Amino acid sequence: MTQIHGVGIGLGVAAGPVARMAAPLPAPADEPSTIGAEAEAARAREAVHAVARELEARGAQAGGAAQDVLEAQAMMAEDPTLESEITTRLEQGKTAEWAVADAFATFRDQLTAVGGYLGERAADLDDVAQRVIARLRGVPAPGVPDPGHPFVLVATDLAPADTALLDLDQVLALVTSDGGPTSHTAILAREKGIVAVVGAAQAAGLRDGETVVVDAAAGAVVQDPSDAEVADAHRRAAERAAAATAPLTPGALADGTAVPLLANLGSPAGATEAIELGAEGVGLFRTEFLFLSSADAPTVAEQRDAYQRLLEAFRGRKVVVRALDAGADKPLAFLNDAHEENPALGLRGLRALRASEDILREQLTALAEADAAVAATGEAADLWVMAPMVATVEETRYFTTLAREFGIRTAGVMVEVPSSALLADHVMRVADFASIGTNDLTQYTLAADRLLGSVASYQDPWHPAVLRLIREVGTAGAAHGKPVGICGEAAADPLLAVVLVGLGATSLSMAPAALADVRASLAQHGLDDARRIAQAALEAEDADSARAAARAVAATSSL
Ligand code: PEP
Ligand code: MG
């Protein structure tokens, strides 16, 4: 048995035979055109147009996030810059095939050089180019294999157009050698609940027909698994399926200790699904997601409408709204206009809001107004407001004082920077609550950009250095009698969720799709067990051994 490591998407597990994605088309040769520039231009235009329409049609068929991704691809295909790049090459006497390949490759290199989110879009561009060239050649576009039985799909990376229409009865799991946790493949796999491991460089060596176990929770692909390992994978898959249909009880440990399970949302539109999946409230409402494409700051009225819709959906329940978290992976044009070499260490989060305090004041005004409007028409929601990226006690005091000035009754901070975790005893004196953002806390503790595939292995919240910081916050919360929530991806890992409670977390917030797994896992252990499991993880020297130590102790306490 050997293991290949990558970034697991979601928590699923699956076992089955590998089927590899067909190899890309051979690159067009750089030969002179025999039909002239005008005729080549007409061919290129027809092919680009046809591919764009086909991508849109696939989007309409798939719906949801897939539709957005495919429509973005169709727009990319018809980007005027690309068109003029193609025309320039055709005027030099090249064939349409070569001109398309070369123009797209140039554009791709530009995106890759930018890196981060845009770099991860580069694979999307390759896919569009392949489709256009296939059309020009009159051959089918390379795509998903069809071996005639369920299979584990292995690819360099998957084009959004392919991911969107995967036949989920046939594709047991997805493994890619490229792609990071924020690539479109990952985003769509997450949305469709496909068991996936991305960025597994050694997956290039997997052969057609060999059996593998794909363990997304462990970020691993097991080659040549034993019968027992395959059976264990089937058992875990069945347990997950059962958890997904279990009754929607409130989150609690086996001894009855309540651990409210909340939803991470980026728009009020997600409220209904979150409630259907058993969310007891909202633990993180990412307000910046509402305005990612806005050039200007949103008005108070525009914001109030959105917040009001959210609060109405959660009357009688807790709703934690985060003030705009602009910068780094989520730049907002109206808050981040300066070029920064290291935007994750720059004027982001509360720092950016403080530099444009009017925008923060308007947001607090809109929140207070939405809260009052909902209360005036029935049962109110329990609105809590927190600031992102708080690094100091002084910032904690600044934000909570200002929020209270606007009538916000419960004002807290996100703990995402090691400095505020280390000073949690002071922070918790000032704030009404803390919510730990484990995504950024891990990034800053391990000094590894969370968007960068090459350092993705550091982005592991199981690292004992991260766990020790979380313990500081949990201990301070208990000492001051103040709630400590977790709202990073870590809360969605069922075993880590138990560890987090053992470290002092009083609520967990996650993507709604993860609620069922976490609910089932919490119900397996009492509070004393959770503390013992957490202690085992804390004492480990790295993330893998923390995970293994927690598993070993959990196996002795699980009901
Ligand atoms: C986090 O950093 O863990 C968090 C919840 O915030 P975001 O992922 O939006 O940065
Ligand atoms: Mg964060």
Side-chain angles (χ1 to χ4, degrees):
M1 177 283 272
T2 44
Q3 283 205 359
I4 293 174
H5 291 277
V7 179
I9 304 298
L11 306 164
V13 61
V18 165
R20 298 192 59 92
M21 190 90 166
L25 298 169
D30 185 5
E31 293 160 348
S33 165
T34 54
I35 58 171
E38 244 173 64
E40 294 284 7
R43 292 178 66 227
R45 260 196 312 275
E46 187 283 330
V48 167
H49 179 80
V51 167
R53 300 295 80 73
E54 190 210 317
L55 290 168
E56 283 167 357
R58 280 180 177 237
Q61 190 184 337
Q67 184 162 11
D68 297 343
V69 170
L70 292 171
E71 282 176 358
Q73 269 203 334
M75 268 179 66
M76 261 198 238
E78 295 187 304
D79 188 299
T81 322
L82 255 176
E83 190 184 338
S84 73
E85 292 277 343
I86 295 171
T87 308
T88 310
R89 287 161 178 78
L90 295 176
E91 283 165 356
Q92 292 162 359
K94 308 291 187 188
T95 61
E97 287 84 342
W98 190 87
V100 165
D102 196 55
F104 273 77
T106 307
F107 202 31
R108 176 200 214 281
D109 291 347
Q110 287 164 0
L111 286 189
T112 308
V114 175
Y117 181 82
L118 282 177
E120 291 190 354
R121 298 287 79 77
D124 305 355
L125 212 57
D126 279 351
D127 173 60
V128 181
Q130 289 272 314
R131 286 174 191 279
V132 176
I133 294 167
R135 170 103 192 162
L136 284 164
R137 288 186 177 156
V139 299
V144 176
D146 183 10
H149 53 74
F151 60 99
V152 172
L153 177 59
V154 177
T156 309
D157 201 354
L158 218 57
D162 294 323
T163 320
L165 295 183
L166 283 185
D167 178 352
L168 298 184
D169 290 333
Q170 293 293 306
V171 177
L172 300 166
L174 175 61
V175 179
T176 65
S177 46
D178 284 0
T182 59
S183 61
H184 273 144
T185 308
I187 292 168
L188 295 178
R190 211 174 269 128
E191 187 191 81
K192 289 170 142 272
I194 301 174
V195 179
V197 173
V198 302
Q202 290 163 306
L206 292 172
R207 294 175 316 277
D208 267 326
E210 71 170 297
T211 298
V212 290
V213 169
V214 183
D215 186 345
V221 180
V222 181
Q223 269 185 290
D224 198 13
S226 64
D227 290 349
E229 282 169 324
V230 172
D232 186 55
H234 289 314
R235 181 190 54 75
R236 284 172 53 203
E239 269 176 21
R240 276 199 88 216
T245 55
L248 299 177
T249 50
L253 297 177
D255 57 13
T257 308
V259 184
L261 296 178
L262 310 168
N264 288 354
L265 293 181
S267 124
T272 312
E273 191 201 6
I275 292 170
E276 277 169 13
L277 291 168
E280 295 168 62
V282 177
L284 169 64
F285 185 66
R286 290 179 162 108
T287 56
E288 65 281 358
F289 277 21
L290 295 172
F291 309 113
L292 283 176
S293 53
S294 310
D296 302 314
T299 62
V300 170
E302 197 181 333
Q303 294 191 67
R304 186 184 51 228
D305 287 354
Y307 305 150
Q308 198 171 324
R309 272 186 286 138
L310 175 75
L311 296 175
E312 275 165 357
F314 287 95
R315 286 182 189 276
R317 306 180 197 217
K318 173 167 135 182
V319 176
V320 185
V321 175
R322 170 169 77 185
L324 293 165
D325 182 18
D329 52 322
K330 298 169 292 196
L332 293 181
F334 53 90
L335 272 171
N336 315 98
D337 55 0
H339 170 77
E340 296 175 328
E341 285 297 328
N342 293 300
L345 304 181
L347 204 63
R348 63 164 293 199
L350 182 60
R351 301 170 188 180
L353 287 171
R354 213 169 172 180
S356 303
E357 198 183 275
D358 286 354
I359 294 178
L360 175 55
R361 286 176 174 272
E362 283 176 7
Q363 185 169 31
L364 293 169
T365 304
L367 283 164
E369 287 182 6
D371 191 23
V374 174
T377 55
E379 189 179 7
D382 182 13
L383 173 65
W384 297 19
V385 182
M386 64 185 181
M389 270 286 294
V390 172
T392 67
V393 181
E394 189 275 333
E395 284 179 345
T396 308
R397 197 168 284 120
Y398 162 79
F399 178 77
T400 53
T401 307
L402 189 68
R404 289 184 194 119
E405 233 177 70
F406 283 82
I408 303 296
R409 285 179 302 281
T410 313
V413 294
M414 286 193 75
V415 175
E416 307 184 271
V417 183
S419 57
S420 45
L422 290 166
L423 292 189
D425 51 341
H426 292 291
V427 168
M428 294 308 283
R429 230 186 283 276
V430 180
D432 294 327
F433 69 97
S435 182
I436 304 179
T438 50
N439 308 335
D440 277 315
L441 186 60
T442 308
Q443 146 164 279
Y444 294 126
T445 304
L446 278 303
D449 187 335
R450 64 190 260 195
L451 296 179
L452 210 56
S454 55
V455 292
S457 62
Y458 291 89
Q459 188 65 27
D460 190 337
W462 275 98
H463 198 287
V466 178
L467 301 181
R468 288 180 190 212
L469 289 170
I470 295 172
R471 175 185 54 182
E472 293 298 314
V473 188
T475 306
H480 293 284
K482 306 229 175 122
V484 173
I486 309 280
C487 63
E489 292 292 311
D493 172 332
L495 183 55
L496 188 48
V498 176
V499 169
L500 295 169
V501 174
L503 295 173
T506 55
S507 66
L508 301 171
S509 190
M510 64 205 74
L515 288 164
D517 285 321
V518 172
R519 184 181 296 113
S521 175
L522 293 180
Q524 292 292 309
H525 309 279
L527 186 57
D528 287 343
D529 300 328
R531 289 185 175 139
R532 281 193 306 118
I533 298 167
Q535 189 57 36
L538 278 175
E539 285 168 10
E541 66 171 38
D542 58 29
D544 284 343
S545 36
R547 203 181 269 110
R551 270 198 199 127
V553 179
T556 66
S557 79
S558 173
L559 287 181

